[in-house]
Amino acid sequence: MMPIVQISKLDKYFGRLQVLKNISVSIAAREVVCLIGRSGSGKSTLLRCINFLEEPSFGIIEVDGIKVEAGEKGKGHRQLVHDVRLKTGMVFQEFNLFPHMSVLENVIEGPVTVKGMDRAKAIALAEENLDSVGLLFKKDEYPNRLSGGQKQRVAIARALSMEPKVMLFDEPTSALDPELIGEVLNVMKKVAKEGMTMLVVTHEMGFAREVADRVLVMAEGEIVEDSKPDILFTQPKDPRTKALIDRYRTGEK
């Protein structure tokens, strides 16, 4: 089976600082892959390069058959980036909901304005996804009336309403109070069980161990370990992985 995401020899520089170094990895359809590592290891930058929120410096990104080479310019390149973004849903740390729009309006904005979807169809799809995350009853509320966990669940429904082939989660629970983390992780588990391909940057080791098909460990801009969670968490090969797991077991991030 062809991978749905293929990253080849990816480098990323910010000025003279190299933050991603020769990253090559494949993700299969329906696979859940968690990215773990210490802060500053390159996890979020890698995720943001996949949908070109950060322009890679070198390398190739391919998503569902759309191949984009880093460093290209012009209309053709912009169109390919646009096509990749249509294939990828993104859930951010800070929710990024429009405060002046209701929950329903937030969720239909992308399908209507970006994809040109008929408004009635977009509303039906939005209501279906809000119901899936347990928030249909909040569809007429505004973000300032929601808890952090509810905002993040709306953000997940919004991303799903773009009907992506791949969902990217950038530390989706890091901005939440501890008592709200579980409700978001439960929604993510449901999305995974429904067969969505997912790449998740996370500090939640329990989630990675339970839900991921593979765990990638990043350190200093490189993938230093790529393994199934039951092996990685019990028999880490790289000393940096072992140190990372030990830190989390003692509660240090």
Side-chain angles (χ1 to χ4, degrees):
M1 181 183 296
M2 292 291 291
I4 195 167
V5 177
Q6 179 80 52
I7 302 167
S8 304
K9 298 181 178 179
L10 180 69
D11 291 342
K12 174 62 181 177
Y13 289 84
F14 290 111
R16 300 175 69 177
L17 176 65
Q18 186 174 8
V19 294
L20 295 177
K21 304 171 184 176
N22 198 33
I23 300 286
S24 293
V25 65
S26 300
I27 312 296
R30 305 173 68 90
E31 193 172 25
V32 178
V33 176
C34 285
L35 293 162
I36 66 173
R38 298 205 77 175
S39 296
S41 60
K43 307 182 302 297
S44 293
T45 300
L46 174 56
L47 206 70
R48 292 169 67 86
C49 281
I50 292 172
N51 65 356
F52 289 82
L53 289 178
E54 295 288 355
E55 182 77 32
S57 302
F58 301 99
I60 299 172
I61 302 285
E62 185 172 351
V63 179
D64 195 32
I66 300 171
K67 183 183 293 187
V68 189
E69 294 193 27
E72 298 290 324
K73 305 290 183 182
K75 185 176 179 180
H77 177 74
R78 290 194 297 271
Q79 183 62 51
L80 289 172
V81 169
H82 174 75
D83 293 344
V84 163
R85 287 175 176 164
L86 289 179
K87 302 276 189 179
T88 55
M90 185 83 172
V91 179
F92 301 89
Q93 297 179 37
E94 298 290 345
F95 326 129
N96 290 358
L97 300 180
F98 295 112
H100 62 289
M101 292 183 176
S102 70
V103 164
L104 183 65
E105 290 169 335
N106 264 280
V107 177
I108 70 171
E109 177 69 12
V112 171
T113 62
V114 178
K115 296 182 71 175
M117 187 180 292
D118 175 76
R119 185 176 175 86
K121 181 181 177 182
I123 289 173
L125 181 60
E127 290 181 341
E128 178 184 331
N129 285 317
L130 285 169
D131 188 44
S132 179
V133 302
L135 287 175
L136 182 57
F137 72 105
K138 293 284 190 180
K139 69 177 184 177
D140 296 321
E141 296 281 9
Y142 284 78
N144 65 353
R145 299 287 301 273
L146 304 179
S147 70
Q150 288 171 336
K151 290 176 184 176
Q152 196 60 295
R153 285 152 62 194
V154 170
I156 293 171
R158 177 181 60 183
L160 289 171
S161 291
M162 290 296 288
E163 300 178 299
K165 293 296 184 74
V166 180
M167 285 281 282
L168 308 174
F169 295 84
D170 187 8
E171 299 194 41
T173 61
S174 65
L176 300 178
D177 294 331
E179 65 271 18
L180 301 177
I181 289 173
E183 67 183 70
V184 172
L185 293 180
N186 285 337
V187 168
M188 292 171 64
K189 291 175 187 177
K190 182 179 180 182
V191 172
K193 287 180 180 178
E194 292 171 352
M196 176 61 70
T197 307
M198 295 168 55
L199 279 78
V200 185
V201 173
T202 186
H203 290 292
E204 299 295 331
M205 294 295 174
F207 175 86
R209 190 165 189 169
E210 178 185 352
V211 180
D213 297 299
R214 286 160 57 207
V215 179
L216 308 182
V217 182
M218 292 196 68
E220 299 176 345
E222 299 178 291
I223 295 174
V224 298
E225 197 148 354
D226 177 351
S227 185
K228 292 185 179 299
D230 56 341
I231 296 173
L232 184 132
F233 284 101
T234 57
Q235 304 170 50
K237 296 177 181 177
D238 192 284
R240 289 166 290 187
T241 304
K242 185 179 186 304
L244 180 71
I245 292 169
D246 289 344
R247 277 194 296 272
Y248 278 95
R249 283 174 178 158
T250 59
E252 180 191 347
K253 291 190 178 181

